[in-house]
Amino acid sequence: MKLELSHLLPFAALVSASPIKAPSIHAPSHLFARQDLQTPINGTLPNVTIFSTGGTIASQGTSNTQTVGYSVGLGVQQLVDAVPEILNISNIVGYQVSNVGSPSINETILLELARGINSELAKDEVSGAVVTHGTDSMEETAFFLQSVINSTKPVVVVGAMRPATALSADGPLNLLQAVTLASSDNAKDRGVMITLNDRIGSAYYTTKNNANSLDTFYSTEAGQLGFFINQVPYFYFEPAKPIGATYFDLKNITDLAQVDILYAHQDMAPELFNASVEAGAEGLVTAGMGAGGLSSKASMAAEAVYNATGIPIVASHRSADGFVPSSDDSYAIASGFYNPQKARILLQLALTMGYDYDEIKELFALSYPAP
Ligand SMILES: *[C@@H]1O[C@H](CO)[C@@H](O)[C@H](O)[C@H]1NC(C)=O
Ligand SMILES: *[C@@H]1O[C@H](CO)[C@@H](O)[C@H](O)[C@H]1NC(C)=O
Ligand SMILES: *[C@@H]1O[C@H](CO)[C@@H](O)[C@H](O)[C@H]1NC(C)=O
Ligand SMILES: *[C@@H]1O[C@H](CO)[C@@H](O)[C@H](O)[C@H]1NC(C)=O
Ligand SMILES: *[C@@H]1O[C@H](CO)[C@@H](O)[C@H](O)[C@H]1NC(C)=O
Ligand SMILES: *[C@@H]1O[C@H](CO)[C@@H](O)[C@H](O)[C@H]1NC(C)=O
Ligand SMILES: *[C@@H]1O[C@H](CO)[C@@H](O)[C@H](O)[C@H]1NC(C)=O
Ligand SMILES: *[C@@H]1O[C@H](CO)[C@@H](O)[C@H](O)[C@H]1NC(C)=O
């Protein structure tokens, strides 16, 4: 039996039951149009700008029990409509940057996001920014934003593990918490944060640990920054920025350097290193075994590529957590604490800004300063 979608949409139900009028956000005509707000602004409230990129938080299934295989499609207007409580916390302005699943977030979207957020946060009246995003590559976008936003104001990346149509969808509460965090004075000077499932984590170390579970975002070793209790954010620490966090000014940048990740395993094909370079990679990251290990054949192939081209090869780890130490007699640059997907973003930024091999090595070493 095909169910009527309107019966399944908690968003739609919430809107009609809403005691207050949600802001009207016009459909965007092109990437990044500022959306018009039609509700009166409450001048005593903070102002938060939401940048919507798509993802599960903006997705609908065909039934309220479907939690995989749904499709992206809800706009920033519908996200906000679903949670009228947000308008008691903050005035909202929305930008629809894209409407894609996060595997399809690309450099165009990242650069537009960085520019949009920097320009919103430069306005005195804006307290913070929220990015709604798919969870699959959320940590990459969050790490990228941490590296390219020059502001003490909170930037919060948020998503959902269940589509909007699911029984106990997590998107609405996550969004309310994200806006609360972005408008909170207490959240300043903490870098870019990821919040889902009541937890507040640093963009630097938070990673997606489970492909399906709600409680998937955390950082085993570095821990959480804070937690929501009754929708109030509580922090465990004073504000601090992650060690090694470096700011890159992307003002004049139109594209990012191509960096590929090669996943190590038993009998890894050594040809992959050449193939990546032939396909245009300007840098490589290996998801190595243990603390960055490759088979001797793969290691020889990587070294030969380095000898022939001089492109930086960063050794990271395929284990969920851990550290790859630096070695003076290796062609490879140690990733330190950065997992492969974060190491890739950092290497992209460094190459884009014209860093040479030694500068890149120093950049990675900043995350583990000598005691
Ligand atoms: C504006 O926000 C303040 C603070 O939450 C609240 O006390 C006040 O009632 C709001 N005003 C209107 C007109 O909603
Ligand atoms: C929010 O924006 C409104 C309208 O621009 C402004 O009057 C108000 O002061 C801003 N709120 C804060 C806390 O800056
Ligand atoms: C917003 O706050 C007012 C005043 O406290 C309250 O009456 C109203 O129910 C709140 N609206 C929502 C959607 O929480
Ligand atoms: C990135 O994705 C957006 C939205 O799908 C698209 O408009 C843009 O052309 C893409 N950019 C590249 C470089 O593929
Ligand atoms: C970052 O922002 C601060 C405060 O607005 C400004 O003084 C500083 O020059 C900016 N840094 C860079 C590298 O643009
Ligand atoms: C960007 O380009 C403009 C114009 O060429 C130049 O004045 C400015 O210094 C550049 N900014 C950066 C950060 O490279
Ligand atoms: C990589 O390419 C170089 C130069 O074309 C070649 O000599 C070498 O055998 C290739 N290595 C592998 C593992 O394919
Ligand atoms: C790479 O170059 C170094 C230094 O010249 C050399 O010792 C090493 O054998 C070369 N490695 C490969 C795989 O060609």
Side-chain angles (χ1 to χ4, degrees), residues 250-296:
L250 293 188
K251 229 165 256 141
N252 295 341
I253 299 298
T254 53
D255 52 12
L256 299 174
Q258 183 181 329
V259 173
D260 292 341
I261 300 174
L262 297 179
Y263 196 98
H265 51 84
Q266 296 176 349
D267 290 323
M268 179 185 195
E271 294 81 7
L272 292 175
F273 292 90
N274 272 355
S276 268
V277 173
E278 275 158 25
E282 297 155 77
L284 293 174
V285 173
T286 52
M289 298 191 269
L294 298 178
S295 70
S296 52

Side-chain angles (χ1 to χ4, degrees), residues 138-363:
M138 176 178 284
E139 64 189 276
E140 292 169 55
T141 297
F143 186 91
F144 174 81
L145 294 177
Q146 168 71 55
S147 308
V148 301
I149 286 167
N150 179 27
S151 176
T152 60
K153 296 175 182 176
V155 175
V156 183
V157 187
V158 66
M161 289 300 289
R162 290 181 180 152
T165 40
L167 288 171
S168 51
D170 53 334
L173 192 59
N174 287 348
L175 185 62
L176 178 65
Q177 293 182 340
V179 171
T180 305
L181 194 57
S183 59
S184 162
D185 271 344
N186 210 3
K188 281 185 181 162
D189 277 313
R190 295 179 186 273
V192 175
M193 290 165 281
I194 287 179
T195 187
L196 268 99
N197 209 33
D198 296 329
R199 300 185 196 284
I200 305 165
S202 154
Y204 235 57
Y205 297 111
T206 302
T207 194
K208 187 176 184 181
N209 290 275
N210 186 297
N212 316 99
S213 154
L214 245 59
D215 196 15
T216 169
F217 279 91
Y218 54 90
S219 149
T220 315
E221 298 302 329
Q224 302 301 315
L225 299 181
F227 199 85
F228 276 91
I229 297 165
N230 214 8
Q231 315 332 324
V232 176
Y234 289 86
F235 288 97
Y236 301 122
F237 310 105
E238 295 291 332
K241 88 173 185 174
I243 287 177
T246 302
Y247 170 67
F248 299 88
D249 187 342
L250 293 188
K251 229 165 256 141
N252 295 341
I253 299 298
T254 53
D255 52 12
L256 299 174
Q258 183 181 329
V259 173
D260 292 341
I261 300 174
L262 297 179
Y263 196 98
H265 51 84
Q266 296 176 349
D267 290 323
M268 179 185 195
E271 294 81 7
L272 292 175
F273 292 90
N274 272 355
S276 268
V277 173
E278 275 158 25
E282 297 155 77
L284 293 174
V285 173
T286 52
M289 298 191 269
L294 298 178
S295 70
S296 52
K297 272 188 195 166
S299 183
M300 287 292 280
E303 185 173 303
V305 162
Y306 172 68
N307 281 359
T309 64
I311 70 164
I313 302 178
V314 173
S316 184
H317 48 78
R318 67 176 205 181
S319 316
D321 256 311
F323 179 81
V324 174
S326 178
S327 154
D328 284 340
D329 46 45
S330 171
Y331 60 90
I333 294 171
S335 77
F337 290 113
Y338 301 120
N339 70 17
Q341 53 273 35
K342 292 180 200 248
R344 173 180 167 272
I345 299 277
L346 191 59
L347 184 54
Q348 277 189 295
L349 287 167
L351 287 168
T352 301
M353 302 309 285
Y355 282 40
D356 67 18
Y357 181 90
D358 290 330
E359 290 167 331
I360 292 171
K361 200 165 177 172
E362 271 172 45
L363 178 68

